[in-house]
Amino acid sequence: MIRSQGFDRKERRRTPNEGNIRRRWRGWVDRRIPLSDEQQFTQKNIFILPSGAGLVFGLLLLVMLMTGINYQNSLIYLLTFMLGALFVAAMHQTHRNLAGLRLSLVSAGEGFPGDHLTFRIRATAEKDAFGIQFISPEGETRRINVVPGEIGEFELPVPARQRGPVPAGRIQVETRFPFGLLKAWSWMRPGSTGVCYPRPVTPPYETGGEEEGVQASQPRKSDDLSHADLRPWRQGDLSQRVLWKRFARTGEMTIADWEGESGEPVWLDFNQFPGADRELRLSYLAALVESRSRAGQVFGLRIPGLTIEPDQGSAHRSRCLRALGLCGFEKHVAEAGVAAAAGGESVYARAS
């Protein structure tokens, strides 16, 4: 806590010139490393400087050189030049270790406020890359080695604080291989964002046709399929709805939609809570989506600009919660998607 307060005081003491320089530096970096779900590191976007150990090593070389000049000692000259050559070779090797590395954002996480959203990133390399370290803006660190022909995957957690799209921010990628004398680094700026759902708040009264929903959710026990529509199983269908006897005979997973199950849909409507503000309405709807999903009920969702047809299952739940999380942020998501597509393929583009 004390350290945090000290940091804040330091931020407040920053002069206008320092803020100016920092903004210009960030703008310059952003132009060189645009938003993209794909990032390949080359000599154009890799930065390299001596580390703390490298600075001490350079100072030692300078002292040895001055000593050799003062005493005209050939042995000191030889040792100084050999260590200098080692430093130059380390510089090339550190830069080469990062060059050729390629990162791809596989998926961006989703969750409720207070959760940590998982951004999954895949790494490939044209040549061996050892000791690659990834640091999230929150300070989370992952360290991997990447071998040519193999795929390395890792996950970075990003905290979700409030409803809406959650960007991963600048993910720093650095290496100090092989000797730790130099630090080569760059950044990845994913264009696709995670989604923070609304915080569920139980509404003061139930809406959306509870009785119909309960009735529709009850699985039929009868073996008479004459009044049922049979269809193949699809992702999100509950296991209780699978005709397991039929599966044992045919090996095909089949779902029976009984007559009347789809008769009167249950709708969760944004306009069902007059007097509440938008955020509270979305929180009510999130709570209803959770409760009806847990009960295995069939329901649809209506929010401004979007209607999701009645369905059930985990995929339907995720789709509804994602729509609630991004309600009002459509322009932001569209701009981020365009920026990501300009620099690489978007996960949302792949999903569609």
Side-chain angles (χ1 to χ4, degrees), residues 112 198-210 266-270 272-273 280-301 316-317 320-321 324:
F112 293 99
R199 188 183 300 281
V201 175
T202 304
Y205 52 88
E206 286 288 337
T207 62
E210 179 72 17
V266 178
W267 287 98
L268 307 180
D269 200 321
F270 183 83
Q272 289 175 331
F273 305 100
L280 188 55
R281 293 186 188 201
L282 295 174
S283 294
Y284 285 162
L285 292 174
L288 291 175
V289 168
E290 285 291 84
S291 63
R292 295 183 187 282
S293 296
R294 281 195 297 270
Q297 298 177 1
V298 178
F299 63 92
L301 178 67
H316 182 61
R317 167 188 172 271
C320 291
L321 290 175
L324 294 174

Side-chain angles (χ1 to χ4, degrees), residues 311-329:
D311 204 343
Q312 63 179 161
S314 60
H316 182 61
R317 167 188 172 271
S318 298
R319 188 183 176 199
C320 291
L321 290 175
R322 188 182 305 119
L324 294 174
L326 297 179
C327 181
F329 292 96

Side-chain angles (χ1 to χ4, degrees), residues 16 24 32 61 65 76 92 120 129 131 165 173-174 189 235 253 283 315 342:
R24 289 191 178 192
R32 294 184 72 87
L61 286 183
L65 181 62
I76 296 178
H92 284 285
R120 183 174 301 167
V173 185
E174 71 169 54
R189 300 172 61 225
Q235 187 174 6
M253 297 182 70
S283 294

Side-chain angles (χ1 to χ4, degrees), residues 178-196:
F179 303 124
L181 299 177
L182 295 119
K183 168 184 167 183
W185 80 97
S186 188
W187 290 275
M188 180 186 187
R189 300 172 61 225
S192 297
T193 61
V195 179
C196 180

